[in-house]
Every structure is written in C-alpha cells, then in structure tokens.
Amino acid sequence: MDDVMSRDLISDLPQSIIESILTRLPIRDAVRTSILSSKWRYKWATLTQLVFDEKCVILSNDRCKVEDGLVNFITRTLFLHKGPIHKFQLTTTHLQCCPDIDQWLLFLSRNDIKELVLELGEGEWFRVPSCLFNCKMLTRLDLFRCEFDPPPTFKGFLCLKSLNLHQVLVSPEAIESLISGCPLLESLALSYFDSLALTIRAPNLKFLCLEGEFKDICLENTPLLVAMSVAMYMTDDIAEHFEQSSTCNFNRFLGGVPRLERLIGHIYFTKFLSIGDDLGRLPITYAHLKVVELNQVSFEDMKEILVVLRLITNSPNLRELQISGSSNTLAAIDAPDLDFWEDECPSNCTFKQLRVVRMTDMSGVPHEMEFIKFLLANSPALETMSISPCVYVMDGRLNMLIELLRFRRASAQAEILFIQD
C-alpha cells in the first residue's frame, strides 16, 4: 500500500495525456511545472498549443514593466520549445506595435503553425509581416486591429477553414482575393469595416458573420452556407448609395443559399434586402431554414414587409421566428394601405412547422397587427407567440391586447403571451 501511495502516478501517464492536462492550464502554470522534478523539467516544452495573455506576468501600474515581462516570457517560451506549434494565441492590450511580434511570427511560420490568433488592444495598429503569408498549413486565422496587406505573389491559404478579421485595415480587393484563395474556407467573420463593397466567393463556406458599414454585399458562390448573422450600420453616404441602386439586393444576397438553416439579421438588414427592383418570385426555396431572427424591421416600409413575407413564405420548414419592430408610429398609422395584405399574401400559405414566434418592440400599428394576424391564421402547429410592446407605447397597449384576442388561430394549442416590462 505504501508503495502505491509513494509512486508518482501522474508522471507515469502517457505523454499525450500529460500534454492534454498541461494544455488546460494557463501557459504560465504549465511552464512552472518544470520545477516539480527532473522528469517534468521540459514536459511543457512539447506543447503544440500556446496561449498567451496578460496573466502570463504579474500585472503592475508600470506599463513598460508589464510589456517587457510579457515579451521576455513569450520569447523565452518559444526559445525553449521543442517540436511543432499548431496553435499560437496572443491576447493583450499591452503590445500593439511591438517588433518582437514579427520575430515570433517568423519563428511560427517555420513550425507548421495551424491556428493563429492575434488580439491586440487599442493604440497603434500592428502591421502583419510578410512571413505570415508563408504559413501554408494555417487552418484558422483571427486578426484584431491589424493592417493586412498581402504581397502580390500571395495566392491564398489553401488549408484555411476559419477566418476572422476584426477592425482590420485591408482593401476590398485584398479581402475578396483572400477569401477566394481559401478553397476550404468554412467559417468567415468580418467586423467593423467602413464603406465596404464585397463579393464573397467561397464554395465550402458554412458560417458567415458580417458587421460594419457595407455599401454592397453579394454572395456569389456560397451554396453550402447554413448559418449567417448580419449587422449593417448606416451612414449618409451609404444611404445615398442605396437610394441610387436598382439591383435587387435580396437576390444578390439570399438568392444562392439553398441550404441555409439559420438567419439572423440585425440593424438595417431588412432595409438592405429591400433595396432594388421588385422581388417578384424568389429563385429558390429555403427548405432547410428553421430559425429566422430579424431585428428593427420597419412596418411602415412596404418593401421591408415584402422582404419578410417573401422570406418566410418560401421557408416551408420554418420552426422559430423572431422579429423586432422599428416603426415610426405616426407614419405607419397615417399610411396603412391594408390592401397590401390581400395582394401580397399567398392564399394557400401554411407554416406547417412553425412552433415559436417572438415579436418584440411592437407599436401596435396596422401593419404589425396584420402581420401577427397572418401568422396566427396560417400556423397550425404554433405553440407559443410572445408579443412585447415597445417601451414608448403606453396608451395603446390595451387596444393591442383586445385586437390580438379577436384574431383567428389555426392552432388550438397556440398560447399568446403579452409581455409587459
């Protein structure tokens, strides 16, 4: 029994299990295991995943001291490391334009790096060195607050599957070239870009997240896309550009995504989709689309309402629908045009799979109520519809509730929840 208690069972574990344990520790603690015994002195040195942040050093009010400590720790760790490094992650607010980062990336480019995450804080932007474009084995690249300028000879990352660019200074042509030069790309996130016009060609793309000021977005070759989240910010220049456009944005953006399963549209997304010529009949049916969330839909804009109707009536397997309103109450009441619902709603439309509907920031204006009426009348499997009035609407809440109770329901089990904060 004493022999068993005195044995060092952890040290005798297979190297793969020890590495798995060390990977779950902060890198500083993993390195400190070298003092346990001679057996452990360099066990950490073969870790294939290195994640650095400000916890690697003792924090101090002396910024220079923290920066020097962090640089020395990372440099020494890389110097003592043995074997390939598959993942390198640096998250810090202290190193913006540190020349040592260039040297670390040069070292990593020679060590089969597969995942690279650089999340740098406010201050001077870090210019990505040319050696990054020699990392042929990259499968994941996350860059935050960097300047990204691929050399003319760069043809893309042939193994890259995930690309996340956040506040990155790069030309539209370079982004498009980068995306099309990554034939295996499955996940793409672009955020905080200004006045960007972008055409995305990515035949294996499955997940897309866009956030920023976009003048134009076109999904030209994305047949496998299953989930997307889009937030668009409006400026006067972009609004003027939209007004002059005649191209149907709906078809350019959603006309070639037949496998879409989840769609989240944030601010100005439905406005963007409504720009251009009349939608007419959609070229595809969204047979796989199960969840739709559309935020800040203006129910005073008939073209935005038409976007919502075209989308959901061409989604036969829709299960969850969430919509938040953004109506100018007076404008919406002054111009109801209720004949629209007779003309545009298919008489044979049935949402056979729709189970949950959430309507938030509702003002109780005619087109909002007609939309709710349309959903209740054509959703035989509906279980719950929750309706939350806009915080600025106080006097009309009782009228909204009375009108809701009068609407016919196709589902006898449908529960209507009127939520007042």
Side-chain angles (χ1 to χ4, degrees), residues 148 184 237 250 269 301 329 342:
F148 188 81
L184 301 183
D237 289 343
F250 192 108
F269 180 62
D301 187 327
T329 307
E342 294 279 341

Side-chain angles (χ1 to χ4, degrees), residues 195-209:
S195 299
L196 182 64
L198 182 66
T199 297
I200 296 175
R201 303 175 183 88
N204 285 297
L205 192 66
K206 295 179 181 178
F207 307 99
L208 176 64
C209 181

Side-chain angles (χ1 to χ4, degrees), residues 137-287:
M137 303 299 291
L138 271 182
T139 60
R140 174 190 174 190
L141 178 61
D142 292 11
L143 298 177
F144 293 70
R145 290 190 58 79
C146 296
E147 289 186 49
F148 188 81
D149 187 17
T153 56
F154 178 66
K155 301 301 181 185
F157 296 111
L158 299 183
C159 298
L160 197 69
K161 292 188 176 182
S162 175
L163 176 63
N164 181 4
L165 302 180
H166 178 91
Q167 282 188 297
V168 173
L169 294 178
V170 58
S171 70
E173 297 78 16
I175 293 183
E176 291 185 0
S177 177
L178 173 63
I179 295 171
S180 60
C182 301
L184 301 183
L185 192 64
E186 295 180 355
S187 176
L188 174 63
L190 303 176
S191 52
Y192 291 93
F193 285 81
D194 296 335
S195 299
L196 182 64
L198 182 66
T199 297
I200 296 175
R201 303 175 183 88
N204 285 297
L205 192 66
K206 295 179 181 178
F207 307 99
L208 176 64
C209 181
L210 301 174
E211 181 180 2
E213 299 172 6
F214 293 95
K215 276 190 172 181
D216 189 26
I217 313 171
C218 177
L219 303 183
E220 195 167 282
N221 183 17
T222 55
L224 301 184
L225 199 60
V226 297
M228 71 167 77
S229 173
V230 183
M232 308 184 72
Y233 305 132
M234 192 71 67
T235 64
D236 291 340
D237 289 343
I238 292 177
E240 183 179 351
H241 176 78
F242 280 177
E243 290 176 1
Q244 296 173 354
S245 176
S246 61
T247 306
C248 181
N249 282 354
F250 192 108
N251 286 340
R252 283 165 52 81
F253 194 78
L254 294 178
V257 287
R259 301 190 66 84
L260 195 62
E261 297 177 10
R262 184 182 187 90
L263 173 64
I264 300 176
H266 297 280
I267 183 171
Y268 289 117
F269 180 62
T270 52
K271 169 64 72 176
F272 170 76
L273 294 181
S274 71
I275 300 299
D277 297 331
D278 182 38
L279 291 174
R281 291 183 59 85
L282 294 187
I284 63 171
T285 297
Y286 303 103

Side-chain angles (χ1 to χ4, degrees), residues 306-318:
L306 192 58
V307 162
V308 178
L309 286 177
R310 289 289 190 271
L311 179 62
I312 65 174
T313 56
N314 282 273
S315 305
N317 295 304
L318 186 65

Side-chain angles (χ1 to χ4, degrees), residues 56-69:
C56 294
V57 294
I58 298 174
L59 293 181
S60 165
N61 292 328
D62 187 340
R63 185 179 181 89
C64 292
K65 184 177 180 181
V66 174
E67 290 179 2
D68 291 342

